[in-house]
Amino acid sequence: MSQFTFSPPPQASVAVAGEDARFPVRRIFCVGRNYAAHAREMGKDPDREPPFFFTKPADAVVDDGTSIPYPPETGNFHYEIELIVAIGKEGADVPVAEANGLIWGYGVGIDLTRRDLQLDARDKGRPWDWGKAFDRSAPIAPLHRASKIGHPTSGRIWLAVNDAVKQDADIADLIWDVPETISILSRSMTLKPGDLIMTGTPAGVGAIVPGDRVTGGIDGLGDIAITIVDGAAAVPQAR
């Protein structure tokens, strides 16, 4: 048996709807600007730009209902509601027609973003990591098995801050749908069980501050809720 110089960290995981078992997280891939209106909102032309990806660390995941401390080094902290795809089978260079075969399930998540750091990095041609890949930046509600719900291709996706709706669209509006996204991503690296894909956010992103309650959902996949608290009031997330 291998020995380590210190105890390995706990396995990052996401709850599963109606089950005690949890989905172990290996990697988190995120699709940038995958709704046309949001691409325009960010000053880009969705008709000319192929999909691109960035990542978050697996341990950025926190559960639905978590209190999220306002992160350091930002004054412009944003929400982005997203459809989550959970991968359950290995695949590389996967044809679009076979992509759904890799999917374990689906869920609702929020891509929390330090927007000022992201845009500063973008403008300087630098990686987005400091704007996207920070602690507790990926709240995800319980996943639903595809074997039970099928493969959703449409349905309302929405987010509200203190009950005021800010984002309201349909997952049918994705520029690159889920099978296409999986196929394109799998050309660059082998997808494996435990990988998550955050598929992009609709228009309407905006800032949140301590005291805000953020709620959202996708038809057929349930809801998610988090509360933003002062950074000094961090709530440890058990796994």
Side-chain angles (χ1 to χ4, degrees):
M1 177 179 290
S2 298
Q3 294 186 350
F4 299 98
T5 57
F6 58 90
S7 297
Q11 169 66 56
S13 64
V14 180
V16 176
E19 301 182 26
D20 292 332
R22 295 177 65 90
F23 183 89
V25 179
R26 180 170 181 265
R27 297 177 295 188
I28 304 173
F29 299 102
C30 307
V31 187
R33 296 192 290 263
N34 202 20
Y35 287 80
H38 176 59
R40 296 188 184 98
E41 179 178 58
M42 299 301 291
K44 300 297 180 180
D45 184 348
D47 298 323
R48 295 183 180 178
E49 192 166 54
F52 67 95
F53 303 90
F54 58 94
T55 62
K56 290 177 180 277
D59 65 3
V61 167
V62 293
D63 284 338
D64 172 44
T66 298
S67 294
I68 307 291
Y70 196 92
E73 299 191 323
T74 184
N76 195 17
F77 186 38
H78 278 213
Y79 55 79
E80 297 186 4
I81 190 75
E82 310 216 359
L83 169 68
I84 306 297
V85 178
I87 299 297
K89 292 183 179 179
E90 183 173 321
D93 201 17
V94 179
V96 172
E98 299 175 15
N100 280 352
L102 271 63
I103 298 173
W104 185 92
Y106 298 87
V108 184
I110 302 174
D111 171 12
L112 293 172
T113 302
R114 296 191 287 195
R115 187 72 72 200
D116 43 1
L117 301 189
Q118 179 203 13
L119 296 181
D120 182 63
R122 186 190 74 179
D123 293 345
K124 294 176 179 176
R126 296 175 179 174
W128 288 7
D129 298 57
W130 252 229
K132 289 286 191 177
F134 53 94
D135 296 340
R136 303 180 183 90
S137 61
I140 298 178
L143 299 172
H144 297 258
R145 290 178 180 266
S147 60
K148 293 183 178 180
I149 67 165
H151 297 281
T153 57
S154 63
R156 184 190 182 210
I157 178 171
W158 63 276
L159 180 141
V161 179
N162 302 324
D163 297 324
V165 175
K166 303 294 185 178
Q167 293 181 279
D168 200 345
D170 195 293
I171 59 172
D173 297 333
L174 284 164
I175 297 172
W176 301 92
D177 65 24
V178 170
E180 290 171 329
T181 297
I182 290 173
S183 179
I184 293 166
L185 183 55
S186 73
R187 296 173 193 167
S188 292
M189 59 188 72
T190 300
L191 293 173
K192 294 188 177 184
D195 289 341
L196 296 177
I197 303 172
M198 304 186 82
T199 58
T201 196
V205 300
I208 41 179
V209 297
D212 283 343
R213 178 170 169 79
V214 182
T215 55
I218 298 175
D219 286 351
L221 296 177
D223 298 337
I224 188 169
I226 59 172
T227 301
I228 309 304
V229 297
D230 185 83
V235 178
Q237 175 62 26
R239 286 186 175 84

